[in-house]
Amino acid sequence: MIKIEKLNVKYGEKVIFDDLNLNIQSNKITGIIAPSGSGKTTLISCITGLKKADSGDVTIDDKTIKSRDIYNDVSMMPQENGLYLSLSAKNNLKYFASLKKIKLTNEEIEKMFKDIGLDKEIDMLVDKYSGGMKRKLSLIITLLGSQSYLFLDEPTVGIDPIYKRLIWEKFKQLRDSKKTLIITTHVMDEAKHCDEIIILDHGKILIQDTLANILKKTEEENLEDSVIKLIKGANNEN
Amino acid sequence: MKTKSAIAKRIILELKSDKRTIALLIVAPIFLITIIAFLFNATYQNFTIGLVDQANYDLNINNSTTVDYDSSSNLEDDVYDQKVDIGLVISQDLISINDIIDYNLDENQAKVLNKYQIKYPDLEVPNIQILKTGENPLYDQYMVSEIISSIETDTNIIDQENIKYSYGTIDFTIMLVMEFLIMFLSFLTVGIAFLRERENYTLERTLSNNIKRNDIIWGYMLGYGSIAIVQSIIIEIYTITVLQIEVFANIPLSILVNILFALFAISLGMFISAYAKSEFQVMQFIPIVIVSQLIFSGVLPYGNIYQILSKLSPLTYATDAQVKLLLQDSKAVGVDILVIILLILLLNIITSRRLKKTREV
């Protein structure tokens, strides 16, 4: 389980999190829905050790994040793809695999590319890839290795509907194989696949529950209306 | 080591698909060294010497035309009026090599003379006075070294083995230009490549693995260092064979100095790009960190303060090491090499700390 207690983060004068408390259950798909600039990337950075909080505790399976050993448990798919444009897709995959100390055979690499529909573009320079293709490559790099916590920032942006469906099926398989997925998304339709949804605004958790319960609590028929209602309600309170 | 070599391999693969950068790193220094060699040869050929030769040595000085004078006072007047480029007065008497105090030598030529003094303490040499116009110190330096090497050869006072290691202005300038270009191009290439890692979030992605921050820095050193090895060897071979600068006393050591200095430039590039916010800012650092080194590296012969400032310029140590190697003074380059290595370590430590901004644990 990921446990966040009294998390405080400031950028200069701007307060991002003020005593934030949050628990994320293991072996589930948790979706984080948040308007832009509401702190979701900072939250992921704090959990994955890229950023240290000013104060507060973050633990993963009761282990405090204080060294790079965390990357044995955590894998990340950043919002920006973080791919080497002047390398071929295959060489990108091989490079990141070598950083994870994974040796891949050519057959394994070809299968990975085939599963995601990039088998014909395996040797193409990433510079020539479309946005959706880059996203697919970024995803297969993130899924390399045996890390049990996967942080995926907008994983399906730009990906065509057929592969989107395949990817969500893959996510569910990963969950069933005891992995924990934390996914940020703007696509409400995708949130229905999540076991739990967190709605975040201005560094505060507005609600954390299943989709059905959120709809029930907000007395709305779809998630989009629930999100708007919750954010408006929070702004009125402020 | 596996991580560092994975990073180095990735850098080499990236460069393989970027042929223009490889060409820039290797062809550009060769192109510019050639231009400068031609420029110097064109400018500094055929100077006029006003000669008062009381000893009847009948000298034949390289690249020069001699105008004979009867008296040194007439010659002094013509040197003052710049009717001749340089004046040379050779007295009838020989003097002891230990009495040569006003030989118009620069620091390195004095070292050569010093070697002769130790080897031949009883040697007597022609008493020579050189009259300089003072109009162009670099030109004066060039002419003096031509005169000295010709006198040494002609009078046969010292065995030929030692003479060929006297060096001239052209050699010094080519060393300086070679070191400067190696530094500038490596700095620029690495500075921008390292900054792009941040801009494209590949640095963040690389660091989101169980690797040390230091691994990235030493992986870069390894990757670009391999290219520096190829670059240094090609440039050195070119300088010796095509430009026929036959002054490399210790070729492997000279290549090592080049490689070390390229590694320094790689460290400097990473250091600056770790603090720069954009590629534009990397460019803005060039006058401060690169051009200033050229100014203080010994190309302008100014007074004492300049001498002190030159000690602050890393380029001074690389050029100094190369010039010492021209003089076959291999042992003396130890300090220069040590300074360059320490600078590399210092820069890498600071850059590694700066990477904490990207990954804090």
Side-chain angles (χ1 to χ4, degrees), chain A residues 45 48-53 65-72 74-78 80-87 91 94-96 98-101 125 137-139 141-142 147, chain B residues 2-18 193 197 199-213 215-216 220 356-361:
Chain A
S45 295
T48 54
L50 292 177
K51 171 137 192 74
K52 265 189 185 165
I65 299 158
K66 55 185 177 201
S67 81
R68 58 190 162 81
D69 290 342
I70 185 189
Y71 300 110
N72 294 332
V74 162
S75 186
M76 247 181 98
M77 177 180 179
E80 294 80 11
N81 293 311
L83 300 169
Y84 291 96
L85 303 182
S86 51
L87 282 188
N91 282 333
K94 278 168 96 173
Y95 168 66
F96 286 108
S98 64
L99 295 184
K100 291 184 189 219
K101 318 235 169 355
L125 287 187
L137 177 61
S138 179
L139 183 64
I141 289 170
T142 310
Q147 285 89 343
Chain B
K2 270 188 178 168
T3 309
K4 294 180 196 83
S5 45
I7 292 168
K9 195 177 157 194
R10 190 261 302 158
I11 288 169
I12 294 168
L13 275 175
E14 272 191 293
L15 279 172
K16 260 174 86 179
S17 66
D18 185 4
E197 290 252 20
E199 285 183 339
N200 294 339
Y201 293 87
T202 46
L203 183 67
E204 189 179 295
R205 184 147 210 173
T206 299
L207 281 171
S208 317
N209 289 289
N210 191 357
I211 64 165
K212 291 181 203 150
R213 277 183 283 268
D215 285 344
I216 295 196
Y220 257 73
K356 276 197 166 191
K357 262 185 103 78
T358 306
R359 188 189 81 191
E360 294 195 30
V361 297

Side-chain angles (χ1 to χ4, degrees), chain B residues 106-107 134-138 141 172 292 294-311:
Chain B
D106 69 19
E107 195 188 337
E135 195 62 18
N136 179 346
L138 272 180
Q141 199 187 6
F172 167 76
S292 64
L294 184 65
I295 295 169
F296 294 134
S297 62
V299 74
L300 304 172
Y302 292 137
N304 287 336
I305 295 170
Y306 182 80
Q307 289 283 324
I308 296 163
L309 285 173
S310 78
K311 300 284 178 212

Side-chain angles (χ1 to χ4, degrees), chain B residues 47-63:
Chain B
F47 55 96
T48 315
I49 304 176
L51 176 69
V52 179
D53 185 6
Q54 291 164 348
N56 292 321
Y57 270 114
D58 199 16
L59 290 174
N60 184 16
I61 292 165
N62 300 336
N63 301 328

Side-chain angles (χ1 to χ4, degrees), chain B residues 5-36:
Chain B
S5 45
I7 292 168
K9 195 177 157 194
R10 190 261 302 158
I11 288 169
I12 294 168
L13 275 175
E14 272 191 293
L15 279 172
K16 260 174 86 179
S17 66
D18 185 4
K19 307 247 170 357
R20 247 178 272 181
T21 301
I22 296 181
L24 180 81
L25 285 170
I26 293 168
V27 178
I30 287 177
F31 175 68
L32 284 163
I33 290 170
T34 311
I35 288 182
I36 287 177

Side-chain angles (χ1 to χ4, degrees), chain B residues 90-104:
Chain B
I90 306 174
S91 306
Q92 229 166 347
D93 318 317
L94 295 175
I95 58 161
S96 159
I97 194 160
N98 290 314
D99 291 336
I100 300 173
I101 45 168
D102 184 22
Y103 217 107
N104 289 303

